[in-house]
Every structure is written in structure tokens, then in C-alpha cells.
Amino acid sequence: MTDRTDLTDLDQLKADLLETALEAAARAGTLLSEGRPADLGVAATKSSPIDVVTEMDLAAEKLITGHLAEHRPEDGILGEEGASREGTSGVRWIVDPIDGTVNYLYGLPAWGVSIAAEYRGTTVVGVVEVPPRGETFRAVEGHGAFRNAAPLSCRPAAPLDRALIGTGFNYVQERRTAQAEVARRLLPLVRDIRRSGSAAIDLCDVAAGRLDGFYERGLHHWDYAAGALVAREAGARTGGRPGEEPGEELTIAASPGVFHDLQSLLEEFGAWHDG
């Protein structure tokens, strides 16, 4: 049994992790907003020639991991652009310095900084900083979700045919082709489908009631760790295939009244494989 002291210590740890995540995300957001060069170009590619990394991805991850190392030197880190460190504290940080890199490269506003903290394998803090919107999404396990100072709540249940659903498409051609077929089959059954280019923002938009649901195949842990916590703490359900947690195979978040029907259709349509 967990005693009151243990609970107090865990709540204090969560508060400390939230403060650190908010500071790191705000600093990275400022760097990315104010430091973006006019001639920003591609520094590298990853899974395909259109899956890009910019010099600002690398600079932002360096800033974030440096901040974490200074303030939480015993913690582990997993970053999208290669930062990796084993920790001894039981805490691991999951960092995506720019979620929506292609949007950032093109000057589109749907990009953000995503930072999550796990404690003993459970995500306990999530922060998604969205500078173009002037919005900071944050959540602490068991303590709700917020956009800036306002508490968040997902939309009330809606029939699936009136649900606005977000999704995304992978950068690998075979997977994109399969995802397009799933979207083709799903589109007539819902109100409409949106594709912002940032899974972290889409998950936060489920939390904020701007979407009724979201799904995507091929996401990595850093893409959804913070945003999925924000969605859950706003009352949404999250998962993957039936009975599974969100993951690379499939990530789903939706208001409780939409989740089951959306998950069932995605299972029927084979959204969890590449055809």
C-alpha cells in the first residue's frame, strides 16, 4: 500500500518535473520562433527523402537536453534527433524538439515542442508548446490538463457520423498508400477528416475539443507521449488496437463516446498494418 508520505513525495516530483518541462519548452519555443533563419534548409533526412531534419531541430534538442542535464542530471533522456542517456532516478524524458518539422520548414503554423516525463515507465507529465498559436498545453497525471491557464475538457460524445477526426500520414510510400486507403474508407462515415502535420498538436486538439478524435499509424514515442497524456487528462480515451496501448502500430485518442466506434472501424479497415 502507498502511504501518504509516498503520495506527497510523488506529487512533489510531478510538480518539479512539470516546472522543468515548462521552462525547457518555453526556451525552445523562443529559440525556434525568434531564431529561425530566413534561408532555413534541410540538414538531414530520416526514413525517406521527405522525412526531414532541420538545423533548428538539432539546435532545439540540444537546448532542451542541456537544460534537462543541468536541472535533472540523474534522469534519462530519449530525443527524436538522437539524444539518449540512461538515468538512475527512475525518470526518463521523451523529447521531440519540433513536432511538425515540415510545417516549420515551410513556414506553416502547425508545429510545436513536445516534452514528456516518465516515472518508472509511466508518463506523469506532458507539455506541448505551440508558439505560433501562443498556446502551452500541459498535463500532470491525475491532476487534469490545461491550455495556458484554462482547464481542458474533450468534446461531449457525438455520433461517429458527426465526429471531426484528425489523422496523419507517414513519410514512407508503402505506408502512406495504405493510410490513404484507410482514410478513403473512413471519410464517408464521419463528419470530416483533418490533417495538420503535427500529431502532438492533434492530440492536444482532442483535449481542447477542437477534434472529436485522432488516429495515426507509425508514430514514435516522442510524437505522442506528451499529447496523449494531455488528451487523457482532459477526459479522452487513448489506445491502439483493441486492448493495447498507443504505439507505433496505431495510436488513437478520442472522446469516450467516439473512441470505441472509431477503434472498431480502424481495426476493420486494417489501419494497424501497411496493406
Side-chain angles (χ1 to χ4, degrees):
M1 179 179 293
T2 302
D3 63 27
R4 188 175 300 275
T5 302
D6 291 334
L7 289 173
T8 300
D9 289 346
L10 181 56
D11 284 341
Q12 183 59 57
L13 173 63
K14 291 177 181 178
D16 292 344
L17 296 176
L18 176 63
E19 181 180 2
T20 301
L22 286 168
E23 290 174 352
R27 290 182 60 190
T30 299
L31 171 69
L32 293 166
S33 297
E34 298 180 0
R36 183 186 186 280
D39 60 347
L40 179 66
V42 174
T45 59
K46 293 183 284 188
S47 62
S48 78
I50 55 174
D51 185 6
V52 302
V53 180
T54 71
E55 62 188 89
M56 296 304 290
D57 289 85
L58 303 175
E61 183 162 293
K62 182 177 180 180
L63 183 154
I64 293 166
T65 56
H67 184 86
L68 297 176
E70 177 183 354
H71 293 275
R72 303 276 315 177
E74 297 179 354
D75 296 350
I77 297 175
L78 174 65
E80 180 180 14
E81 307 311 337
S84 180
R85 185 177 76 215
E86 295 294 326
T88 59
S89 66
V91 173
R92 183 174 72 152
W93 295 92
I94 312 298
V95 176
D96 190 343
I98 309 179
D99 191 73
T101 294
V102 172
N103 289 339
Y104 182 76
L105 177 66
Y106 276 76
L108 294 169
W111 59 269
V113 180
S114 177
I115 302 176
E118 296 176 338
Y119 180 61
R120 296 179 179 174
T122 297
T123 304
V124 295
V125 165
V127 171
V128 179
E129 180 84 6
V130 190
R133 292 184 182 177
E135 294 180 331
T136 302
F137 295 89
R138 58 186 169 91
V140 175
E141 182 195 35
H143 294 277
F146 296 82
R147 180 180 65 240
N148 298 337
L152 293 176
S153 180
C154 64
R155 291 182 69 85
L160 191 64
D161 63 359
R162 291 182 225 164
L164 185 64
I165 304 298
T167 193
F169 299 99
N170 199 265
Y171 291 110
V172 177
Q173 184 176 5
E174 179 185 10
R175 182 161 293 175
R176 288 163 69 88
T177 301
Q179 288 172 320
E181 175 59 18
V182 171
R184 183 193 68 80
R185 296 180 67 183
L186 182 65
L187 183 57
L189 305 178
V190 299
R191 183 188 293 273
D192 208 345
I193 290 178
R194 297 287 184 267
R195 191 267 200 270
S196 77
S198 168
I201 292 176
D202 284 340
L203 288 162
C204 291
D205 280 346
V206 172
R210 294 167 173 165
L211 293 170
D212 294 290
F214 166 80
Y215 75 95
E216 188 169 347
R217 169 162 165 73
L219 296 179
H220 297 288
H221 198 29
W222 48 73
D223 295 313
Y224 65 81
L229 180 64
V230 173
R232 284 194 298 274
E233 287 295 320
R237 289 185 60 188
T238 65
R241 296 186 67 190
E244 297 183 6
E245 296 297 314
E248 186 170 352
E249 197 170 48
L250 186 63
T251 295
I252 308 170
S255 60
V258 171
F259 182 88
H260 179 266
D261 289 345
L262 178 61
Q263 185 184 54
S264 296
L265 282 175
L266 295 172
E267 181 72 9
E268 177 186 342
F269 296 163
W272 46 274
H273 63 77
D274 296 335

